[in-house]
Amino acid sequence: MAGRRDVLWIFLWSRVAVWLGAVFALLTFPPNGNVLALHRDDPTIVHDLGYLTDVWARWDSYWFIRIAHHGYDVASGAPAFYPLYPGLLAVAGRLCGGHYVLGGLIVSLAATAGAFVLLRRLAVPLVGEETARRSVLYLAVFPMSLFLQAIYSESVFLLVAIAAFLAAERRRFLVAGCFCGLAVLARPTGVAVVLGVLLIAWRGRAIRDLAAVLVPAVALFALFPITLWIERGQPFAFVHVERLWYRHTATLGPLGGLWDAARTAWTSLEQLTVGSATHTYGPAVGADHFAALNLEATAFFVVAVALSIVAWRELGAPYGLMALVAVVAPVATPAVDQPLLSMPRFTLAAFPIFIALAKVCASQRAERAVVGVSATLLGVATVQWALWQFVS
């Protein structure tokens, strides 16, 4: 009980701190004039009960709420957003009397609280009570943890992904398979959860355990193309929709994406060192800004891959594989000029890296350093988010 209370306390103070920081930024600083933001700041979609709640409806929140309202028949780019979160949002919004932002906040915060509790419960047998607590702490102050209370799908994905692993560790593979199905209904990287859980099931070398995972996972995911078929007449619209979001499939898959990312990181470094005066590298307007974003995304990617390897060594192949696939798979569909676009946010889904980080940074001095650096970057990201600047 004491461990659960500690985790819930971490949840409470971290979410209140981030919320207050976002509101303070919104009321203190002038809003950002981002042209793209003007298309997402639709009063009929993302405005609800005022700034206290509306501050958490930014950018892709528009699409989640719109799908919850109208389904997938509203726009060609909608199938990029998988149905679990907007489905829960549709229910919660209607239960809240049509206040979809409020409903989304309830869903996100409840899922985050559940994810924190389950992460500790999963980690205790693997690394011990203190390291498990530290894992939750590092997740709570992660620079992109602001998305855990936004109208985004990260919180729900984390909850079902951790639940799948917890059920698999307890050899409840049918339950684990159902959670795997929910994970792939939440985000494309749910495939990483399925692969990790299958490795746990394979420990017993029993085909029935593998089937218990795969059958419900595939059956649940089938609900997505069925829904698209009913609403749009295009059951596989989600397969190629990324091109509408400035992404393309790299020729060599993740290897091609990694090559593009490495080349972009190098030119970004050149831009910030020798090219800023003449805009030799990158776009002519805002070249330094884009270079900094590319280097930030590269740093998050490198650290996440390194921690995934640590997770493989310290926690086992299922956890390392899940983390690696969750981090590397998005590289196969790089964005134009920013191959690692949104990578900082994508790493939030790879929950084993937080257990690995807690294992590596175990001393009080290391904990203070991690919390200090992470909280500072979280504060910066929260201000950007509140002002309608693109975060990740």
Side-chain angles (χ1 to χ4, degrees):
M1 287 296 294
R4 182 183 298 177
R5 283 197 300 268
D6 289 343
V7 165
L8 291 176
W9 172 242
I10 292 172
F11 164 78
L12 181 62
W13 68 252
S14 65
R15 296 311 94 197
V16 169
V18 173
W19 202 316
L20 291 177
V23 172
F24 178 78
L26 181 65
L27 298 179
T28 304
F29 300 109
N32 180 53
N34 192 313
V35 176
L36 294 176
L38 299 178
H39 299 290
R40 307 292 180 88
D41 192 13
D42 185 340
T44 66
I45 299 293
V46 298
H47 291 194
D48 192 357
L49 296 176
Y51 63 84
L52 287 176
T53 57
D54 297 353
V55 71
W56 295 111
R58 300 280 193 264
W59 296 105
D60 288 349
S61 304
Y62 167 88
W63 287 100
F64 287 117
I65 297 173
R66 190 168 175 174
I67 294 168
H69 267 286
H70 306 292
Y72 283 98
D73 61 336
V74 296
S76 58
F81 301 91
Y82 281 35
L84 180 60
Y85 186 80
L88 294 173
L89 179 57
V91 174
R94 287 166 173 79
L95 290 176
C96 290
H99 296 291
Y100 285 86
V101 174
L102 176 62
L105 283 169
I106 293 172
V107 170
S108 293
L109 289 171
T112 299
F116 282 15
V117 170
L118 293 187
L119 179 60
R120 173 200 159 268
R121 190 176 299 174
L122 175 66
V124 166
L126 297 172
V127 293
E129 182 68 56
E130 181 57 28
T131 304
R133 179 201 65 83
R134 198 179 299 112
S135 303
V136 176
L137 175 62
Y138 291 168
L139 172 60
V141 298
F142 182 65
M144 295 297 114
S145 68
L146 66 95
F147 287 100
L148 295 179
Q149 63 204 75
I151 314 301
Y152 268 62
S153 61
E154 271 70 17
S155 57
V156 169
F157 178 85
L158 269 179
L159 176 63
V160 297
I162 297 169
F165 272 77
L166 185 61
E169 290 288 7
R170 296 178 176 180
R171 303 197 64 76
R172 298 170 62 184
F173 293 116
L174 187 60
V175 175
C178 291
F179 280 118
C180 285
L182 294 177
V184 291
L185 282 177
R187 297 187 62 82
T189 46
V191 174
V193 180
V194 177
L195 293 175
V197 169
L198 283 175
L199 275 185
I200 296 176
W202 184 241
R203 290 172 180 170
R205 299 294 193 274
I207 299 298
R208 67 176 182 275
D209 292 339
L210 298 177
V213 173
L214 277 177
V215 171
V218 173
L220 281 171
F221 181 71
L223 294 175
F224 190 21
I226 290 173
T227 300
L228 293 175
W229 179 56
I230 293 172
E231 295 192 353
R232 297 171 54 90
Q234 299 175 343
F236 301 106
F238 63 93
V239 176
H240 303 294
V241 75
E242 290 292 351
R243 70 179 184 275
L244 300 175
W245 297 97
Y246 312 107
R247 292 181 177 272
H248 65 280
T249 301
T251 304
L252 298 177
L255 290 178
L258 287 173
W259 172 253
D260 289 343
R263 184 176 55 186
T264 301
W266 177 253
T267 56
S268 297
L269 184 61
E270 288 182 308
Q271 168 64 36
L272 293 178
T273 54
V274 299
S276 58
T278 59
H279 297 299
T280 304
Y281 313 102
V285 178
D288 288 351
H289 173 68
F290 281 100
L293 290 179
N294 280 326
L295 291 178
E296 176 197 34
T298 301
F300 272 91
F301 177 75
V302 170
V303 172
V305 169
L307 288 174
S308 299
I309 295 171
V310 173
W312 194 306
R313 184 185 66 199
E314 298 290 339
L315 309 176
Y319 295 89
L321 179 64
M322 183 274 168
L324 278 174
V325 173
V327 172
V328 175
V331 182
T333 55
V336 178
D337 295 327
Q338 292 180 275
L340 297 180
L341 180 68
S342 298
M343 181 54 65
R345 176 166 58 89
F346 292 158
T347 60
L348 186 60
F351 72 87
I353 70 175
F354 298 102
I355 306 176
L357 181 61
K359 184 77 173 176
V360 172
C361 298
S363 67
Q364 289 187 351
R365 179 178 296 180
E367 180 176 321
R368 286 194 295 268
V370 171
V371 171
V373 172
S374 294
T376 300
L377 295 176
L378 174 58
V380 173
T382 301
V383 172
Q384 291 177 293
W385 169 270
L387 301 182
W388 274 100
Q389 296 179 23
F390 185 75
V391 180
S392 178

